[in-house]
Amino acid sequence: MKILILNAGSSSLKYQLFEFPGKKVLVSGLIEKIGETSGRVKHKLTTSGDSVEYEIQVPNHQIALEEVASLLLKGENAVVQDTSEIEAVGHRVVHGAEKFSAPTLIHSEDMLEELRNLSYLAPLHNPANITGIEVSMRVFQNAKQIAVFDTAFHQTLPSHVYRYAIPNALYTEHGLRAYGFHGTSHQYVAREGAEFLGMDPGRFNAISIHLGNGCSMTAVKEGKSVDTSMGLTPMGGLIMGSRPGDFDPSLILFLAKTLKMDLGEVDNLLNKKSGLKGLAGENDLREILKRYDNNHPLAQLAIHMYIYRIRKYIGAYAVVLGKVDALIFTAGVGENSAFIREGVCKDLDILGIKLDQQLNSANTKTTREIQQADSRVKVLVVPTNEELEIANETVKLLV
Ligand code: ADP
């Protein structure tokens, strides 16, 4: 069974073709700069390692997906003889609100309309995700189209966690509450972590720390999300590449009233110019770490704030969970930066967390334990794989 996974952004389209059973990745690729004068295609045959990269004009997502289809069919490197061999297309959709609490087969215009109606909650992401589904319905007409939502894993949050202390009508009439994001990643690493330790995922308590460009943490109790750091949108919680995480919301009033910024400027400032970028002028953590090593004061401040915020959430989630089986680090920073992991875990004996320096410094790409032998809480590095998790969820709906 061949399953295509699509992650459509506003000007990009990421894809992977899986073969089930076996969960083998046949191809993976990325089309960037959709809608610009010159687009970029990167396509890799995972089985042989062969890859191609070229520039081509890609005016819209329809053309981008047609390009993907032709690459899958092309010449001696063809992975399908006919696009009808693709049984399902699994789509990453960022926001499912309360309506979509599980992966969903999208089979009608009415369902697409229901999805479109949620775009006001994620205007930067959902419209592109929906375009991906629309064009996929045309290009892969025989395939089932399945939407997998970043918010779905967090639909188990209790109401006292997801509600904001604002007038009730804003929740009942407009759905303003915390939803949480990176759910596919947190779900995947929590299950992988439990299985790696030989524990039942349904009895596993973990604090999952996803540190990529976007950063979030989730308290996972008995396999379910019970609290998470992002809220209505992916802006709250931890300090991220270009988003601020938690701050006093009255700051927005100051920007608007006193500095006379319009809402577009405020939006841009908070989504694109804040976080590490706002503090140290860079959103790539590797660059900031280089400056940190050169004693650059703003880089040092940014790193201290970044680590401090994660530690604060660990403290909070330890209380939420009561018993913590594992702390899990994942995504670009979480998987690769021994320095950040060390800073996060420093002096946490009080919570039963004791990192082993040597195990932490080893650089492998597989799931591993990095705690000392007498650490009550396991500390794991689990490489995330959101595409595989979307494929797993897609297949579950087919059988
Ligand atoms: P995205 O959220 O875009 O999927 P990733 O999970 O790929 O992001 O993470 C990107 C972040 O990971 C960047 O800030 C990058 O600097 C950081 N990163 C990648 N490798 C390392 C490393 N070896 N040390 C520190 N940070 C790293």
Side-chain angles (χ1 to χ4, degrees):
M1 186 193 314
K2 293 193 174 72
I3 310 285
L4 182 67
I5 302 305
L6 294 183
N7 182 351
S10 57
S11 64
S12 68
L13 183 69
K14 283 191 206 154
Y15 59 92
Q16 276 192 21
L17 184 69
F18 285 86
E19 188 162 61
F20 276 74
K23 308 181 178 189
K24 191 162 135 193
V25 183
L26 300 178
V27 298
S28 62
L30 165 68
I31 302 192
E32 292 173 296
K33 300 190 179 179
I34 298 171
E36 295 180 27
T37 38
S38 176
R40 231 191 132 64
V41 181
K42 293 180 195 166
H43 179 79
K44 183 173 174 194
L45 271 153
T46 323
T47 36
S48 65
D50 289 348
S51 61
V52 285
E53 244 186 272
Y54 52 91
E55 308 239 328
I56 180 180
Q57 217 194 346
V58 190
N60 54 45
H61 286 77
Q62 169 91 22
I63 306 285
L65 198 57
E66 285 170 5
E67 187 67 18
V68 173
S70 80
L71 283 164
L72 300 179
L73 289 163
K74 213 174 211 163
E76 62 199 41
N77 285 335
V79 282
V80 290
Q81 301 309 313
D82 191 293
T83 49
S84 64
E85 285 172 42
I86 293 169
E87 260 185 64
V89 184
H91 299 267
R92 178 192 184 207
V93 180
V94 167
H95 216 307
E98 288 181 342
K99 186 131 208 144
F100 296 99
S101 57
T104 306
L105 181 68
I106 306 292
H107 52 72
S108 65
E109 177 54 33
D110 285 353
M111 294 191 82
L112 277 172
E113 194 56 26
E114 280 183 37
L115 275 179
R116 287 187 202 108
N117 290 339
L118 301 179
S119 286
Y120 78 99
L121 288 169
L124 297 177
H125 299 99
N126 268 34
N129 303 155
I130 296 166
T131 301
I133 302 177
E134 288 166 341
V135 300
S136 177
M137 282 173 153
R138 293 196 285 270
V139 176
F140 299 104
Q141 290 185 6
N142 295 319
K144 295 205 163 72
Q145 309 292 332
I146 290 162
V148 179
F149 301 90
D150 273 21
T151 47
F153 182 55
H154 302 301
Q155 279 297 297
T156 46
L157 297 183
S159 55
H160 68 274
V161 172
Y162 70 68
R163 287 292 302 275
Y164 292 131
I166 52 176
N168 272 311
L170 291 173
Y171 168 63
T172 53
E173 290 170 25
H174 301 286
L176 300 186
R177 49 159 280 187
Y179 290 98
F181 297 86
H182 290 144
T184 309
S185 175
H186 290 299
Q187 173 174 304
Y188 177 81
V189 299
R191 200 189 52 246
E192 280 286 305
E195 285 172 359
F196 177 82
L197 294 171
M199 293 179 69
D200 174 357
R203 296 182 161 196
F204 186 57
N205 284 8
I207 299 175
S208 165
I209 310 175
H210 177 113
L211 305 174
N213 270 315
C215 301
S216 71
M217 284 174 63
T218 295
V220 179
K221 188 168 196 165
E222 296 175 348
K224 295 193 167 67
S225 170
V226 292
D227 202 345
T228 194
S229 59
M230 285 174 168
L232 174 72
T233 72
M235 196 191 282
L238 303 182
I239 293 170
M240 314 182 209
S242 65
R243 285 171 261 160
D246 296 336
F247 65 89
D248 182 340
S250 62
L251 188 143
I252 295 174
L253 302 179
F254 181 88
L255 296 178
K257 280 187 183 164
T258 310
L259 300 186
K260 310 274 181 242
M261 284 188 177
D262 67 32
L263 287 179
E265 288 172 297
V266 175
D267 189 348
N268 194 37
L269 182 142
L270 294 174
N271 274 305
K272 306 221 168 99
K273 295 185 178 167
S274 297
L276 296 174
K277 189 169 176 69
L279 289 166
E282 262 293 341
N283 55 2
D284 190 312
L285 196 93
R286 276 167 297 201
E287 293 304 315
I288 300 178
L289 286 173
K290 279 186 207 152
R291 290 192 213 161
Y292 180 100
D293 289 339
N294 291 326
N295 298 322
H296 192 299
L298 287 178
Q300 297 204 327
L301 175 68
I303 295 293
H304 289 150
M305 288 173 68
Y306 182 89
I307 289 174
Y308 179 81
R309 187 76 57 86
I310 298 167
R311 287 166 62 84
K312 206 160 132 175
Y313 270 93
I314 290 177
Y317 289 171
V319 172
V320 167
L321 294 174
K323 172 182 82 88
V324 184
D325 295 312
L327 200 65
I328 302 177
F329 286 95
T330 194
V333 178
E335 291 166 31
N336 296 303
S337 179
F339 176 83
I340 295 291
R341 290 193 300 262
E342 187 181 334
V344 167
C345 295
K346 192 164 184 276
D347 298 332
L348 289 187
D349 307 32
I350 188 175
L351 297 178
I353 296 167
K354 290 189 191 173
L355 196 74
D356 183 289
Q357 298 258 0
Q358 225 175 341
L359 293 176
N360 183 41
S361 310
N363 200 3
T364 62
K365 299 282 168 215
T366 49
T367 296
R368 64 189 203 274
E369 289 177 61
I370 55 170
Q371 79 283 348
Q372 293 176 25
D374 65 343
S375 177
R376 205 170 65 238
V377 175
K378 306 280 187 202
V379 184
L380 302 181
V381 178
V382 181
T384 194
N385 193 336
E386 289 165 285
E387 289 78 14
L388 174 58
E389 189 63 4
I390 295 173
N392 286 332
E393 294 287 329
T394 300
V395 168
K396 270 200 229 159
L397 270 193
L398 297 178
V399 290

